[in-house]
Amino acid sequence: MKELRTQVVIVGAGPAGLLLGQLLQSEGIDNVVVEQRSREYIEKRVRAGVIEHGIAELISDAGAGERMKREGLVHHGIELRYDNASHRIPLSDLAGGKSIMVYGQQEVVKDLVALRLGVGALLLFETEATAIEGITTDAPYVEVDGVDGKVRISCDYVAGCDGTFGVANRTIPTSVLRRYERTYPFSWLGILAEAAPATEELIYCRHENGFALYSLRSPTVSRLYLGVRPDETLEQWSDDRIWDELNLRLATEEVPEINQGPIIERGITAMRSIVVEPMRYDRLLLAGDAAHIVPPTGAKGMNLALADVRVLFQALIAQLKSNDARLLDSYSATCLERVWRAEEFSTYMTQMLHPSYEDDFENGVQMARLRQVVDSREASTVLARNYVDLNSL
Ligand code: DHB
């Protein structure tokens, strides 16, 4: 088996792994990123497109914000829609002038990949991490298998940025690991359409048929979602049915129809929450989806992952440059406090906007919540602050 030596092995080239690699690189910490999928796959994987204020700053500070600043769309508000009427939440007014950046996750990934390859740092695509070993010793290593055959990469630390089903969280013994989980009785059907957005701001909509979300990617591309039952499949949703349902749920008196265009991407995503504890097992550190999943309402997934990386980067620097272990020791507790806040916000948004198909008492409570958020400045301020900058509060 070939051998390689680095300071930090980063498993997974999603936004978390790539940003960590970039930050460590900028501080002269040697690292290797291994990714099971191809470059094409990770650059095309469509995910949410809302970046919090502080996370956009983090991306820029890491030197990866140039195209985002040029092409991303800065938004200062969102709309909440119910009973076919719209109510604007003025995010920036309520959240101390801060705004959100609408920029697709896969664009962040593309920018980070280009940066890394530009400086010639090691990024191994189509390379699976098959085992993480020696984590409780001072000589951990990761065995990988890819286009170059099997390689053993020795290191000081391993960052597990490889998602829920990756090898990293499976490496933590079950006697140590605690897993909190919740599934929701909904899925999201998401489409990307070549249609000029018929809205300037994102619209979160509750309709008795289900949730709908109107988002966008550029002046010519819209991103739209429908809440559907968890057992529904794409085959049941023809283009016509998708547009009819979007029109029905999103219609208002002023705007009865939304712009339509060719659907260029579609998918159904189940909704769930997962929290894994602890996020550190000796020399293995989990970040992003490897440690937690949030339901998509509110678009917290990537923001949460990159906020983990911000903490992890500082902790690794302190350890590797100054032999100071304090930040690594508090890494898991520091992150988990924020992770649970994000779970709380994401479940709150989910529960407020997805009508129950069974429980009309629940529906009454949801409507009361929505009206409170719209009518009360205190309630909308809480929503705005969490929406715009939860991960930096
Ligand atoms: C998007 C996704 C979300 O989950 C959300 O809450 C807002 C926007 C998006 O894909 O643009």
Side-chain angles (χ1 to χ4, degrees):
M1 192 184 290
K2 282 185 231 164
E3 303 224 358
L4 216 75
R5 157 95 210 153
T6 187
Q7 288 173 286
V8 182
V9 176
I10 300 170
V11 185
L18 289 166
L19 183 72
L20 181 63
Q22 168 67 15
L23 291 168
L24 292 174
Q25 205 70 30
S26 68
E27 286 291 326
I29 303 289
D30 194 55
N31 63 91
V32 175
V33 179
V34 292
E35 168 59 48
Q36 187 177 357
R37 307 278 193 169
S38 66
R39 177 177 182 184
E40 193 191 7
Y41 180 93
I42 64 158
E43 291 189 345
K44 284 203 172 145
R45 187 162 49 185
V46 181
R47 292 285 186 276
V50 176
I51 303 176
E52 290 178 8
H53 182 89
I55 300 300
E57 276 181 355
L58 173 66
I59 293 170
S60 295
D61 291 349
E66 202 184 302
R67 193 165 66 94
M68 176 180 75
K69 279 192 199 144
R70 211 169 51 238
E71 296 177 17
L73 308 164
V74 175
H75 282 201
H76 300 286
I78 54 171
E79 282 182 38
L80 292 182
R81 196 168 277 190
Y82 54 88
D83 293 340
N84 294 109
S86 240
H87 308 268
R88 181 169 190 265
I89 306 289
L91 296 175
S92 299
D93 293 350
L94 298 170
K98 294 175 181 173
S99 52
I100 49 163
M101 176 70 82
V102 177
Y103 189 64
Q105 171 169 323
Q106 77 272 35
E107 306 305 326
V108 176
V109 166
K110 277 186 215 162
D111 296 343
L112 286 165
V113 168
L115 266 182
R116 185 162 183 99
L117 297 178
V119 297
L122 216 48
L123 168 51
L124 307 172
F125 286 110
E126 294 172 64
T127 300
E128 186 186 356
T130 48
I132 299 172
E133 302 287 352
I135 273 309
T136 56
T137 72
D138 56 9
Y141 60 93
V142 179
E143 280 181 2
V144 307
D145 191 357
V147 277
D148 297 330
K150 289 187 168 48
V151 186
R152 172 189 284 210
I153 314 176
S154 313
C155 56
D156 299 320
Y157 288 91
V158 179
C161 307
D162 54 345
T164 324
F165 303 108
V167 64
N169 67 36
R170 275 186 275 126
T171 301
I172 304 181
T174 47
S175 56
V176 176
L177 187 101
R178 183 142 186 223
R179 209 178 140 92
Y180 305 81
E181 199 159 355
R182 173 179 281 183
T183 54
Y184 301 84
F186 319 102
S187 292
W188 276 17
L189 190 167
I191 63 163
L192 210 53
E194 278 171 351
T199 174
E200 283 177 10
E201 295 183 335
L202 270 62
I203 303 167
Y204 286 88
C205 171
R206 182 191 187 281
H207 182 277
E208 61 185 29
N209 281 14
F211 171 80
L213 169 59
Y214 202 139
S215 181
L216 50 151
R217 286 294 178 272
S218 75
T220 56
V221 176
S222 298
R223 175 82 175 143
L224 298 124
Y225 300 90
L226 283 170
V228 299
R229 291 169 200 265
D231 55 357
E232 292 190 71
T233 60
L234 281 177
E235 291 70 50
Q236 294 168 288
W237 286 88
S238 66
D239 289 16
D240 283 348
R241 183 173 175 213
I242 292 173
W243 289 116
D244 287 350
E245 195 62 28
L246 283 167
N247 270 319
L248 177 75
R249 295 187 193 178
L250 288 162
T252 61
E253 242 172 60
E254 305 84 62
V255 191
E257 289 249 325
I258 57 177
N259 294 340
Q260 300 186 16
I263 297 178
I264 49 179
E265 202 274 341
R266 71 187 74 208
I268 290 191
T269 319
M271 292 175 82
R272 64 210 158 121
S273 285
I274 297 175
V275 177
V276 159
E277 189 185 308
M279 288 173 61
R280 175 196 183 184
Y281 179 60
D282 214 319
R283 287 175 182 255
L284 170 64
L285 294 310
L286 304 180
D289 287 4
H292 39 69
I293 297 287
V294 287
T297 332
K300 289 300 174 206
M302 179 173 78
N303 292 295
L304 197 51
L306 298 188
D308 291 347
V309 166
R310 176 167 52 198
V311 182
L312 180 53
F313 161 64
Q314 295 293 353
L316 285 170
I317 292 293
Q319 175 66 50
L320 291 167
K321 288 197 160 179
S322 316
N323 208 20
D324 179 347
R326 283 174 299 176
L327 290 177
L328 270 185
D329 288 343
S330 58
Y331 172 69
S332 183
T334 302
C335 287
L336 282 167
E337 202 176 307
R338 181 174 39 74
V339 167
W340 281 112
R341 286 188 58 158
E343 293 288 356
E344 187 280 327
F345 179 68
S346 305
T347 32
Y348 159 84
M349 288 288 280
T350 300
Q351 284 165 355
M352 182 167 68
L353 290 158
H354 292 68
S356 169
Y357 298 124
E358 279 104 39
D359 182 351
D360 276 334
F361 185 88
E362 169 67 23
N363 287 326
V365 171
Q366 283 182 11
M367 290 305 296
R369 242 186 223 160
L370 265 174
R371 290 192 193 102
Q372 185 184 40
V373 165
V374 165
D375 293 341
S376 143
R377 191 175 168 90
E378 288 77 16
S380 54
T381 300
V382 174
L383 187 151
R385 289 181 48 158
N386 283 331
Y387 194 89
V388 170
D389 216 19
L390 181 143
N391 283 287
S392 306
L393 291 175

